[in-house]
């Protein structure tokens, strides 16, 4: 299977060759910790010990590399484990990392609480403002620019190509957390980014049944460093997790099409609703990032948020009043979820520059019937 095939074809076939021994169309899941050697050091297929490599994980990594258009992919036990391996591979004490001021709260917490005490400098900036990003870069010291677009929960869009060019001007690498878009809608490496990170827990896995993370990149030297961290620190995905993720990815294209279509219908239906102050969805023509999103994405995704007119109490009531949309953290599964970011996903950034408006409700729009989903939101709004 080569890269000349289209995305949906590669999602199903790359790294997923049938088992030559039996013809099993689904390659076996390798539940094994070690591999028998023919002689000392005589490895079969290069496999020695499962922290270093396991065929099920290899199959996922090959699939991920193909879908993001990168030379190397690494799969981890969670999105944050992947980020941790990348940060440790690139940064050393004295270096500076610049992040958007609306990055995933757990990403900010990881750097702020674990890396800053080890001597890494962190600052945050409105990453949609290129002049502000330029002013916040520290020549020779900033080694990483962390980009998350669309961002959470305000769905802000930043320009991956422009930001990557800017990072390179300062000798920094540009990292894109591509969790919200998935490689189906956005290909950061092709836009000039150096590394893509994922929480595969979300759209890639797609069924809310597995935790995982990934890094995809082109540079061979950086790949060697990341591969060494994956092996030496050992936060790898286990075979069952890797296999569930692989299986989820096979339907990514059809799922994302439906996520996008459903979210667009719901966003448009909510615009102008008397109980709402604002609807944040990049697929709306008046969203501030709509033009950039149209340029760098092939669809606007399944995530949206809205600000409730009645303030925090009303927003919480909406989040607790839906029946199909279930009240839970996380996103990207086939089932719709609703959340109150202030006290759920963004509780860890309360009181910081990353704090989000307390009248905001976030939706992860699933792939159920759209009429049912919209009716559920509208009845919940009626209760405010
Ligand atoms: C969930 C998430 C993460 C963290 O991933 P885990 O798999 O929960 O460790 C990172 N970035 C974004 C955008 C996320 O949504």
């Amino acid at each position: 299977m080569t890269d000349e095939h289209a995305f949906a074809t590669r999602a199903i076939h790359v790294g997923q060759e049938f088992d030559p021994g039996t013809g099993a169309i689904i390659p076996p899941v390798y539940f094994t910790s070690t591999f028998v050697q023919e002689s000392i050091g005589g490895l079969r297929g290069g496999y020695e010990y499962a922290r270093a490599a396991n065929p099920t994980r290899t199959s996922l990594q090959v699939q991920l590399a193909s879908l993001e258009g990168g030379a190397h992919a690494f799969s981890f036990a969670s999105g944050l484990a992947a980020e941790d391996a990348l940060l440790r591979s690139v940064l050393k004490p004295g270096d500076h990392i610049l992040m958007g001021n609306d990055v995933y709260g757990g990403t900010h917490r990881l750097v702020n609480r674990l890396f800053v005490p080890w001597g890494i400098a962190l600052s945050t900036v409105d990453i949609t403002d290129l002049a502000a990003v330029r002013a916040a870069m520290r020549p020779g010291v900033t080694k990483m620019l962390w980009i998350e677009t669309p961002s959470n929960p305000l769905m802000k869009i930043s320009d991956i190509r422009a930001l990557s060019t800017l990072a390179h001007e300062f000798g920094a690498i540009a990292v894109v957390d591509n969790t919200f878009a998935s490689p189906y809608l956005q290909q950061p490496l092709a836009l000039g980014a150096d590394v893509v990170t994922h929480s595969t827990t979300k759209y890639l896995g797609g069924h809310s049944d597995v935790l995982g993370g990934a890094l995809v990149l082109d540079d061979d030297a950086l790949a060697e460093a990341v591969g060494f961290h994956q092996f030496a620190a050992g936060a790898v995905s286990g075979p069952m997790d890797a296999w569930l993720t692989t299986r989820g990815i096979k339907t990514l294209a059809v799922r994302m099409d439906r996520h996008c279509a459903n979210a667009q219908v719901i966003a448009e239906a909510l615009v102008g609703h008397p109980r709402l102050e604002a609807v944040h969805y990049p697929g709306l023509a008046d969203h501030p990032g709509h033009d950039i999103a149209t340029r760098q994405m092939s669809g606007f995704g399944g995530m949206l948020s809205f600000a409730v007119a009645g303030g925090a109490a009303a927003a919480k009531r909406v989040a607790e009043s839906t029946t199909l949309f279930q009240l839970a953290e996380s996103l990207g599964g086939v089932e719709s979820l609703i959340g109150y970011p202030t006290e759920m996903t963004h509780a860890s950034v309360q009181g910081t520059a990353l704090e989000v408006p307390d009248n905001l409700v976030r939706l992860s729009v699933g792939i159920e019937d759209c009429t049912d989903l919209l009716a559920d939101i509208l009845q919940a709004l009626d209760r405010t």
Side-chain angles (χ1 to χ4, degrees):
M1 179 63 48
T2 65
D3 281 351
E4 80 213 24
H5 291 92
F7 186 95
T9 308
R10 285 183 278 128
I12 291 169
H13 292 287
V14 174
Q16 312 306 313
E17 290 75 20
F18 69 86
D19 176 36
T22 63
I25 191 161
I26 302 303
V29 184
Y30 288 83
F31 289 110
T32 188
S33 59
T34 192
F35 300 84
V36 177
Q37 307 185 7
E38 287 177 33
S39 55
I40 296 170
L43 307 183
R44 295 174 161 88
Y47 291 102
E48 178 177 24
Y49 183 67
R51 175 159 35 72
N54 171 297
T56 309
R57 194 168 89 233
T58 304
S59 133
L60 169 60
Q61 293 179 159
V62 169
Q63 188 186 31
L64 285 167
S66 170
L67 296 186
E68 283 289 358
H72 310 275
F74 301 89
S75 157
F76 293 87
S78 71
L80 287 176
E83 295 181 12
D84 176 54
L86 175 66
L87 291 162
R88 280 193 280 166
S89 299
V90 174
L91 301 176
K92 57 181 188 332
D95 290 345
H96 171 240
I97 174 172
L98 182 61
M99 293 184 146
N101 61 10
D102 51 0
V103 295
Y104 177 71
T107 301
H108 183 262
R109 180 180 55 204
L110 171 65
V111 177
N112 193 40
R113 302 278 299 276
L114 295 184
F115 283 84
V116 169
W118 282 88
I120 305 295
L122 163 69
S123 54
T124 58
V125 65
D126 176 358
I127 198 141
T128 64
D129 179 346
L130 285 175
V133 174
R134 177 175 291 280
M137 295 292 283
R138 302 179 191 169
V141 183
T142 306
K143 293 291 161 57
M144 192 182 279
L145 177 62
W146 194 280
I147 303 161
E148 191 180 317
T149 180
S151 76
N152 179 19
L154 288 170
M155 307 304 299
K156 288 204 216 161
I157 302 293
S158 43
D159 187 332
I160 295 172
R161 190 182 291 284
L163 287 166
S164 300
T165 304
L166 197 156
H168 296 156
E169 242 181 81
F170 284 84
I173 65 166
V175 177
V176 176
D177 184 334
N178 205 24
T179 298
F180 268 41
S182 89
Y184 181 62
L185 300 181
Q186 178 169 279
Q187 304 254 303
L189 297 179
L191 295 167
D194 301 283
V195 183
V196 171
T197 79
H198 275 288
S199 169
T200 58
T201 311
K202 315 294 170 52
Y203 286 105
L204 286 162
H207 296 75
S208 308
D209 54 9
V210 62
L211 210 60
L215 301 173
V216 188
L217 55 127
D218 276 327
D219 185 77
D220 293 339
L222 182 56
E224 200 174 318
V226 166
F228 181 73
H229 273 81
Q230 186 193 41
F231 164 67
V236 296
S237 38
M240 190 65 188
D241 289 357
W243 181 76
L244 280 170
T245 307
T246 281
R247 187 169 79 152
I249 287 172
K250 292 180 184 180
T251 55
L252 180 67
V254 287
R255 285 188 286 109
M256 289 313 295
D257 283 341
R258 178 68 81 88
H259 283 296
C260 292
N262 281 357
Q264 186 75 36
V265 168
I266 290 173
E268 286 175 7
L270 293 181
V271 169
H273 191 286
R275 301 237 157 82
L276 297 181
E277 280 175 357
V279 179
H280 306 289
Y281 183 66
L284 296 173
D286 64 352
H287 183 283
H290 180 70
D291 290 344
I292 298 172
T294 303
R295 223 185 308 130
Q296 77 184 7
M297 303 175 76
S298 59
F300 302 107
M303 298 300 297
L304 66 93
S305 62
F306 51 77
V308 180
K316 287 163 88 162
R317 210 150 48 240
V318 173
E320 291 174 344
S321 301
T322 52
T323 53
L324 275 175
F325 280 86
Q326 297 173 92
L327 181 65
E329 304 216 358
S330 200
L331 60 116
V334 292
E335 58 288 288
S336 293
L337 300 180
I338 193 164
Y340 179 62
T342 297
E343 288 181 21
M344 295 172 66
T345 46
H346 289 63
S348 73
V349 293
Q350 252 180 307
T352 74
L354 282 76
E355 195 171 58
V356 299
D358 67 0
N359 65 338
L360 206 69
V361 172
R362 189 186 82 174
L363 301 182
S364 171
V365 179
I367 64 170
E368 302 96 330
D369 182 273
C370 194
T371 310
D372 291 339
L373 293 179
L374 184 57
D376 191 29
I377 294 296
L378 292 176
Q379 67 78 25
L381 286 173
D382 280 344
R383 298 193 197 196
T384 65

